[in-house]
Amino acid sequence: MSFIQSIFKGKATDRAAGSGYRFFFGQSTAGKTVNEKTAMQMTAVFACVRILAESIASLPLHVYKRSPDGNLVKAEDTELFYLLHDKPNPEMTSFIFRETLMTHILLWGNAYAQILRNGRGEVLGLYPLLPNKMTVERDEKGQLYYRYQRVNEEPPTMDGTDVILLPEDVLHIPGLGFDGLVGYSPISMMKNTIGLAMAAEEYGSKFFANGAAPAGVLEHPGVIKDVSKLRESWNSTFGGSANAGKIAILEEGMHFSPISMSPQDSQLLETRQYQLTEIARIFRIPPHMLADLSKATYSNIEHQSLEFVKYTLQPWIARWEAALSDALLTRDERKEYLIRFNVDGLLRGDYKTRMEGYAVGINNGFLCPNDVRALENLDLIPEEKGGNSFLIQGAMVRLEDAGIYAAKGSGKEQDE
């Protein structure tokens, strides 16, 4: 038993307040079992999770240091910069690490990572932990701690199977929750919505599996001795998409009467389309990013993409930055260092719009040519050639001085 585990041995413990509220995975009202695995088999859920996870993972993540003049400079010489920007641990890149944790938040509502430190408290590595094996609890003094059920397949960064971790040893990024400590899974909260989409998809699959023909009743004027044999013969001959289009020959006055509704009658296509929109609403994803262009136009897709950054990604970015700073920086370090994502690349408009904006900045003196070239990843113009010069339009004068300059131009002022 480790020293940390011995601290909590024999003490009464309670779950954090938010852990008392549970939205369980399981059976939906549509009769489908919804959990993190079955939900990811839905194309809309998979696409939403992938879009958000890859977006957060692909953003540049930097540690900045405040310089004496107040500017922010990348702290590339620190170990924390390397861990967050390149490799948080020897087994994965920063992209994979952040993609994994973001997927955990979207499916389980929480993301956890173990923080490895040296004797001086400096961060040496970050390892993801499975959310479904973690609980947030309090000891008898009300102090938070984390209980983790470790499996043998995980990296050997801790001993035992039931491991106690202190808050300073865990990076915890919670999603939406009731107590500010534990997040709730959007999959379990919205299982009825996702379950309906799964049921509609299964109905469509079975419809085509039955040869895209409606089920019905075989009517015979006499008595059939072996009903099961007749049913099996009919299904093997005419069931399944491979048998679609075959012509049935009915003997002895037998008659086939369809009784099921067609996909049009049951509004299958409309239901599936609506459920795609519902799932997009859960994750706040613009429908056009899920290949639903029914409401998209050439003029509004760019604005929807900018709204995706502002209203979908920005709250997640703020959540990540706050959690990273709180877990990886001390109170004194936060006065000197910042952890920030760079979203400038996602907020850039098309080439024509960017050039027009740059022109306004240069002509009004709040951008220099090198500012623009840096934003466009171009080589800077040397200082002696005016790369850092701020310019304004020379023809612009104050309104009250317009008459003076006009007089000078015409020579009237000299005659007087």
Side-chain angles (χ1 to χ4, degrees):
M1 179 180 295
S2 66
F3 171 73
I4 294 178
Q5 289 173 302
S6 65
I7 296 177
F8 296 93
K9 183 180 179 181
K11 290 189 175 182
T13 59
D14 294 308
R15 295 283 179 89
S19 299
Y21 298 92
R22 290 293 183 184
F23 296 90
F24 292 105
F25 294 120
Q27 195 86 352
S28 67
T29 52
K32 305 306 296 179
T33 300
V34 180
N35 55 44
E36 73 283 354
K37 294 180 180 178
T38 59
M40 283 289 280
Q41 294 176 341
M42 287 294 305
T43 56
V45 175
F46 181 87
C48 289
V49 171
R50 182 178 180 182
I51 288 169
L52 286 172
E54 290 181 346
S55 297
I56 291 295
S58 62
L59 290 175
L61 179 59
H62 298 141
V63 179
Y64 293 95
K65 183 177 182 180
R66 291 186 176 90
S67 62
D69 57 2
N71 293 325
L72 294 178
V73 181
K74 292 180 184 177
E76 299 184 46
D77 57 339
T78 63
E79 181 66 17
L80 187 57
F81 184 97
Y82 172 78
L83 292 174
L84 295 179
H85 185 267
D86 296 297
K87 287 183 72 68
N89 62 69
E91 300 180 350
M92 59 187 66
T93 63
S94 177
F95 182 98
I96 298 299
F97 174 79
R98 285 182 278 150
E99 181 186 49
T100 301
L101 262 61
M102 190 64 191
T103 301
H104 288 174
I105 302 175
L106 296 171
L107 295 180
W108 283 283
N110 295 274
Y112 303 95
Q114 184 186 9
I115 305 173
L116 299 184
R117 303 178 187 271
N118 60 17
R120 296 187 297 274
E122 299 169 336
V123 180
L124 297 178
L126 298 165
Y127 287 85
L129 301 173
L130 294 173
N132 58 331
K133 297 183 180 299
M134 180 76 80
T135 57
V136 184
E137 303 180 6
R138 293 185 185 274
D139 63 13
E140 60 184 9
K141 296 181 179 179
Q143 299 299 313
L144 286 174
Y145 69 93
Y146 295 83
R147 184 184 299 275
Y148 187 68
Q149 300 292 325
R150 182 179 173 273
V151 295
N152 294 330
E153 291 78 10
E154 293 182 277
T157 58
M158 57 185 86
D159 297 328
T161 55
D162 190 10
V163 182
I164 302 299
L165 297 170
L166 297 179
E168 55 264 31
D169 297 323
V170 177
L171 167 63
H172 180 193
I173 309 173
L176 180 67
F178 292 164
D179 64 349
L181 297 175
V182 180
Y184 299 113
S185 166
I187 302 298
S188 62
M189 294 179 73
M190 299 291 113
K191 67 180 179 183
N192 289 329
T193 298
I194 297 172
L196 178 56
M198 294 168 63
E201 184 176 83
E202 182 182 33
Y203 178 89
S205 299
K206 289 184 176 180
F207 176 76
F208 285 100
N210 290 324
V217 176
L218 283 172
E219 299 179 0
H220 193 278
V223 178
I224 301 175
K225 295 181 179 180
D226 195 342
V227 176
S228 61
K229 185 176 181 180
L230 177 61
R231 183 189 298 111
E232 291 174 4
S233 176
W234 179 272
N235 288 334
S236 63
T237 306
F238 303 107
S241 56
N243 295 321
K246 284 188 175 182
I247 299 175
I249 299 176
L250 304 179
E251 301 179 21
E252 300 178 0
M254 189 176 296
H255 178 69
F256 176 77
S257 300
I259 60 173
S260 296
M261 294 185 295
S262 68
Q264 291 77 15
D265 294 334
S266 62
Q267 296 183 322
L268 172 64
L269 298 179
E270 290 84 354
T271 300
R272 295 199 64 188
Q273 179 67 34
Y274 182 74
Q275 289 312 111
L276 185 148
T277 304
E278 285 283 271
I279 293 172
R281 184 180 293 122
I282 294 172
F283 293 98
R284 203 184 294 173
I285 299 291
H288 78 271
M289 298 184 74
L290 301 180
D292 176 12
L293 302 180
S294 58
K295 297 295 194 309
T297 65
Y298 177 80
S299 59
N300 69 11
I301 279 186
E302 181 180 354
H303 292 287
Q304 289 185 50
S305 299
L306 294 176
E307 288 179 355
F308 169 71
V309 178
K310 293 171 61 177
Y311 303 120
T312 303
L313 284 186
Q314 193 58 48
W316 285 114
I317 289 171
R319 195 183 297 270
W320 269 80
E321 289 175 345
L324 290 171
S325 298
D326 184 60
L328 305 179
L329 298 176
T330 65
R331 184 172 182 177
D332 291 335
E333 287 174 336
R334 289 185 212 118
K335 299 176 182 178
E336 187 177 2
Y337 294 96
L338 288 174
I339 299 175
R340 291 289 182 268
F341 286 93
N342 187 346
V343 297
D344 292 341
L346 294 177
L347 292 173
R348 290 166 52 162
D350 60 79
Y351 185 81
K352 180 176 180 293
T353 304
R354 296 202 313 273
M355 294 304 110
E356 291 173 348
Y358 294 152
V360 171
I362 291 178
N363 292 337
N364 288 278
F366 61 84
L367 287 177
C368 69
N370 276 344
D371 290 332
V372 174
R373 295 183 70 85
L375 292 172
E376 291 295 317
N377 295 317
L378 299 173
D379 294 335
L380 301 183
I381 301 173
E383 172 73 31
E384 60 272 15
K385 293 186 178 181
N388 295 325
S389 299
F390 289 88
L391 312 170
I392 60 171
Q393 289 284 355
M396 298 178 67
V397 297
R398 294 185 302 172
L399 183 62
E400 59 267 26
D401 295 336
I404 298 174
Y405 285 99
K408 287 183 177 179
S410 62
K412 295 180 180 179
E413 189 179 61
Q414 295 178 0
D415 295 339
E416 295 176 358

